[in-house]
Amino acid sequence: MNINLKDYGLTERFEQESTMYDDLFIARVTEQHRELYKVVSKCGEIDASVSGKLAYSADSPTAFPAVGDWVMIDRLDGNSGNAIIHHILRRKSVLTRQAAGTEYTGQVIAANIDTIFICMSLNADFNIRRIERYLTITWDSMATPVIVLTKSDLCDDLPQKLDELASVSMGVDVIYCSSENGNGYEAISAYIGQGKTVAFVGSSGVGKSTLINRLMGRDVLATSAIREDDAKGRHTTTYRQLLLLPNGGIVVDTPGMRELQIYTGNLSKTFEDIEEIATRCRFGNCSHGAEPGCAIREAIKNGTLSEKRFESYKKLQREVLYVGLNARQLENEKLNRMFGGKGEMKQFKKHIKDKSNI
Ligand SMILES: Nc1nc2c(ncn2[C@@H]2O[C@H](COP(=O)(O)OP(=O)(O)O)[C@@H](O)[C@H]2O)c(=O)[nH]1
Ligand SMILES: [Mg+2]
């Protein structure tokens, strides 16, 4: 089989980097099932697993290949067993989340994505705080976010919802669509083209798989309403998968994202408005508490900044800050927050000691 990897998104940058590795072949990861991968090379799809060296030197799960990664493999046909993945080429973008559990462990949702469609339904799922969370993660990934509001057929106050959204979506394109009547599909297609990789993220049930099936022109992915009578095996996906679209372009479905915890995030981009207002505070290190000349408090008072948005900013800021800290650092950080810094904490400890000496 002769495959043009440009259809799979191969660009000069990756091609260039691949020339560093003699005797290895470039391929893109299309599926991941725990330790087993599927990759596509110029000779077609083949099963692959990571080399012992790659696994050994990986200091975090994010150092393992993920769907969308460009990798270097040692063979092009599976006759002599699985291909071995020796290297991951430098990611152009990478979407991560915090893995379930308490420890700071990142998980790559997908790599080398150009456009991330953040999907939210216009009925039950609509929540602009959630959009802020998704934007924080997406801006950090280096992919371009586009907000896709789904199920517009089930919404009777669209202008109001769009208005609400506008207050948190500066600099981001917003599309609304319905798979009931096909509205908005053209707008989505405008972001999709040969060699471009897109991914759909959002709560389950918002219609991501339905959208992808429509773009594919056939039911490739299971959608939740028909999952029960799925016995025919017509639908396939419960894992992350990279699919080639019939009219060009590559799409990654991301099932199972019930809740998105932050691993790394970019607040400056998501909350540009707040960071801009904060530059006008009298004090550079203003905590937006009781200091005089606080531009944030002023903006909240005069209605140019919503208090809820500011609360959301602070909440996400704490998350972004905390996730990067180990247990010990976390404890220190909490104390710092409680006492406003090491100096105050020392004083407090001294105070306790003095008291207990009496
Ligand atoms: N009314 C309406 N229902 C939709 C629309 N898009 C998807 N659905 C339904 O919403 C349910 C969940 O869709 P699915 O694609 O599985 O969501 P996913 O979990 O995000 O992949 C299914 O029953 C779909 O038929 C839409 O635009 N309008
Ligand atoms: Mg789905």
Side-chain angles (χ1 to χ4, degrees):
M1 200 177 354
N2 221 337
I3 284 183
N4 182 359
L5 285 179
K6 288 200 171 68
D7 292 341
Y8 278 90
L10 182 61
T11 58
E12 229 163 81
R13 173 190 173 292
F14 292 113
E15 226 166 350
Q16 182 77 38
E17 194 180 338
S18 73
T19 60
M20 282 170 41
Y21 304 102
D22 291 337
D23 307 325
L24 295 179
F25 308 94
I26 191 166
R28 192 168 197 193
V29 177
T30 55
E31 284 179 30
Q32 181 187 357
H33 311 254
R34 291 178 183 271
E35 272 107 71
L36 190 66
Y37 294 86
K38 261 197 171 48
V39 300
V40 62
S41 73
K42 64 181 179 188
C43 293
E45 240 177 12
I46 171 176
D47 288 337
S49 40
V50 297
S51 74
K53 192 168 170 212
L54 198 161
Y56 182 76
S57 60
D59 52 3
S60 128
T62 57
F64 281 87
V67 169
D69 264 323
W70 286 100
V71 294
M72 298 309 296
I73 56 173
D74 68 338
R75 73 197 75 172
L76 294 173
D77 73 68
N79 293 341
S80 51
N82 288 357
I84 304 296
I85 300 172
H86 286 275
H87 302 280
I88 305 174
L89 300 187
R90 211 156 43 82
R91 290 165 175 157
K92 184 185 151 208
S93 65
V94 56
L95 186 68
T96 59
R97 71 164 164 189
Q98 161 70 26
T102 49
E103 251 181 66
Y104 178 56
T105 315
Q107 196 175 61
V108 175
I109 299 168
N112 301 315
I113 307 295
D114 296 294
T115 303
I116 292 177
F117 294 113
I118 301 173
C119 302
M120 190 167 78
S121 79
L122 278 158
N123 56 345
D125 185 58
F126 190 83
N127 177 336
I128 57 173
R129 301 283 88 90
R130 187 175 304 122
I131 285 286
E132 289 168 336
R133 170 177 296 270
Y134 274 99
L135 284 174
T136 300
I137 293 173
T138 305
W139 278 125
D140 190 73
S141 76
M142 302 300 284
T144 306
V146 172
I147 296 171
V148 176
L149 301 171
T150 60
K151 308 192 187 185
S152 63
D153 55 289
L154 297 179
C155 174
D156 49 19
D157 60 348
L158 185 62
Q160 192 192 320
K161 292 236 163 69
L162 290 177
D163 225 37
E164 241 182 281
L165 187 65
S167 66
V168 306
S169 65
M170 298 80 69
V172 182
D173 292 351
V174 177
I175 296 170
Y176 56 89
C177 68
S178 163
S179 53
E180 284 292 298
N181 53 32
N183 281 350
Y185 274 75
E186 252 171 60
I188 293 173
S189 303
Y191 294 90
I192 300 173
Q194 206 239 359
K196 295 281 174 228
T197 308
V198 301
F200 288 80
V201 300
S203 311
S204 56
V206 298
K208 299 181 297 295
S209 301
T210 306
L211 264 164
I212 294 173
N213 285 342
R214 196 141 178 162
L215 294 169
M216 289 294 289
R218 63 198 170 94
D219 287 354
V220 181
L221 305 176
T223 56
S224 52
I226 48 177
R227 198 166 288 158
E228 286 80 13
D229 53 29
D230 199 24
K232 289 182 197 127
R234 191 159 54 99
H235 308 290
T236 48
T237 292
T238 50
Y239 44 86
R240 268 169 228 128
Q241 194 180 23
L242 185 145
L243 299 163
L244 217 50
L245 290 164
N247 297 321
I250 304 114
V251 61
V252 177
D253 183 31
T254 62
M257 299 235 297
R258 254 186 332 132
E259 199 183 341
L260 197 56
Q261 297 297 336
I262 295 177
Y263 178 64
T264 55
N266 181 337
L267 291 161
S268 305
K269 202 82 182 157
T270 310
F271 294 95
E272 240 172 339
D273 53 337
I274 291 184
E275 302 212 339
E276 195 275 323
I277 294 169
T279 62
R280 297 199 297 269
C281 289
R282 186 177 308 163
F283 300 111
N285 62 351
C286 186
S287 69
H288 320 303
E291 297 96 329
C294 172
I296 293 281
R297 283 208 326 282
E298 181 60 31
I300 290 173
K301 212 167 88 192
N302 69 27
T304 45
L305 173 64
S306 112
E307 178 139 31
K308 282 196 177 136
R309 178 161 168 80
F310 183 58
E311 289 303 321
S312 167
Y313 170 70
K314 284 199 296 190
K315 180 168 183 278
L316 291 169
Q317 196 177 39
R318 280 196 295 272
E319 255 182 71
V320 168
L321 183 70
Y322 283 162
V323 287
L325 306 173
N326 63 31
R328 170 96 188 218
Q329 289 168 319
L330 208 59
E331 205 44 49
N332 281 336
E333 184 58 33
K334 273 187 196 151
L335 287 170
N336 277 340
R337 259 159 212 279
M338 267 196 274
F339 298 105
K342 280 244 162 65
E344 283 87 341
M345 196 162 77
K346 266 194 195 139
Q347 258 183 352
F348 179 75
K349 279 186 179 157
K350 184 168 176 292
H351 173 73
I352 299 277
K353 212 170 145 201
D354 290 350
K355 259 177 108 176
S356 56
N357 282 344
I358 297 169

